[in-house]
Amino acid sequence: MEEKKGLVMIHTGDGKGKTTAALGLALRAYGAGLNVLILQFIKGRQNSGELAALELLTKIPAENKIEIRQCGLGFIDKNNIGEHKAAADSALDIARAEILSAKWDLIILDEILYAVKFQLLDAEKVLALIKIKPPQIHLVLTGRDAPKILIDAADLVTEMNLVKHPFQRGIKAQRGIEF
Ligand code: ATP
Ligand code: MG
């Protein structure tokens, strides 16, 4: 059972934890010597704890690498859908090139399922990425409402189930917990 097999993993559902679970996985994989790339769809420039932590981490000399890139424009509203579509398309092109580059062992496409949900990307285009993936690469997709065709193509699907969220009581996003 030691055989190496690249897994397609999906974190979906309405509960919190999709991105943080992916980041936890990134940490584990990096510590295990894997080369890890995190591409964030939709998310634009923000002062997130993960960006700062990874910047610190990359200052420590290591044989392998970990990188995070934000490929989005931030909040979506009905006036900037066109720009968001263009950003999502170019993020998808970057993802395809990186998947085929042989540089990475684990690639996380964070919030890519939101890009599908908000019709910035076709689910078929994401499925095409899964299909061209070299067999040894692990791929993680996150976001709510994973479409069935992607669930069918995945090896591991976890649904975060909303039981309670502080937002429901009007508690604002907390630094270090949400970003
Ligand atoms: P996290 O990044 O904290 O792991 P996530 O990736 O599961 O969360 P997303 O759907 O990507 O969640 O939403 C990102 C932001 O929305 C986070 O700040 C998260 O805490 C918040 N969020 C997640 N679930 C809910 C919810 N059910 N109600 C309100 N806000 C939520
Ligand atoms: Mg998320």
Side-chain angles (χ1 to χ4, degrees):
M1 288 291 281
E2 276 294 299
E3 204 176 292
K4 174 121 197 273
K5 176 181 184 332
L7 299 171
V8 176
M9 295 168 267
I10 292 181
H11 299 170
T12 191
D14 293 344
K16 174 178 162 68
K18 299 171 287 294
T19 298
T20 45
L23 291 168
L25 199 57
L27 192 67
R28 172 179 287 167
Y30 182 62
L34 272 55
N35 291 300
V36 180
L37 176 66
I38 304 158
L39 294 177
Q40 298 194 302
F41 286 68
I42 300 174
K43 284 179 185 165
R45 275 170 63 86
Q46 52 172 277
N47 56 340
S48 72
E50 53 267 35
L51 283 183
L54 290 178
E55 199 172 307
L56 288 174
L57 202 55
T58 53
K59 290 194 174 125
I60 303 168
E63 305 258 302
N64 56 324
K65 53 187 183 297
I66 187 163
E67 209 177 298
I68 186 165
R69 281 184 236 155
Q70 298 193 314
C71 305
L73 303 171
F75 276 108
I76 301 176
D77 67 59
K78 61 179 188 311
N79 300 315
N80 65 3
I81 294 285
E83 288 158 51
H84 273 282
K85 273 194 174 149
D89 274 336
S90 95
L92 197 78
D93 289 342
I94 294 168
R96 189 182 305 107
E98 296 294 350
I99 286 169
L100 296 173
S101 74
K103 274 167 35 189
W104 309 103
D105 304 300
L106 168 64
I107 298 183
I108 294 168
L109 304 176
D110 188 33
E111 318 297 355
I112 191 171
L113 302 176
Y114 276 107
V116 173
K117 180 176 160 73
F118 297 131
Q119 297 177 326
L120 305 176
L121 283 182
D122 287 339
E124 282 74 18
K125 286 190 178 172
V126 181
L127 182 63
L129 280 191
I130 294 174
K131 291 204 169 138
I132 56 144
K133 181 186 84 60
Q136 72 283 3
I137 293 182
H138 299 297
L139 196 63
V140 177
L141 314 176
T142 84
R144 286 186 195 194
D145 295 331
K148 184 168 184 305
I149 58 162
L150 299 181
I151 289 174
D152 288 345
D155 300 295
L156 184 157
V157 180
T158 299
E159 186 167 74
M160 274 67 182
N161 182 29
L162 174 65
V163 177
K164 234 181 179 185
H165 193 289
F167 188 75
Q168 295 167 317
R169 288 201 293 137
I171 299 170
K172 292 216 171 76
Q174 301 294 303
R175 175 92 174 125
I177 303 296
E178 317 280 350
F179 63 96

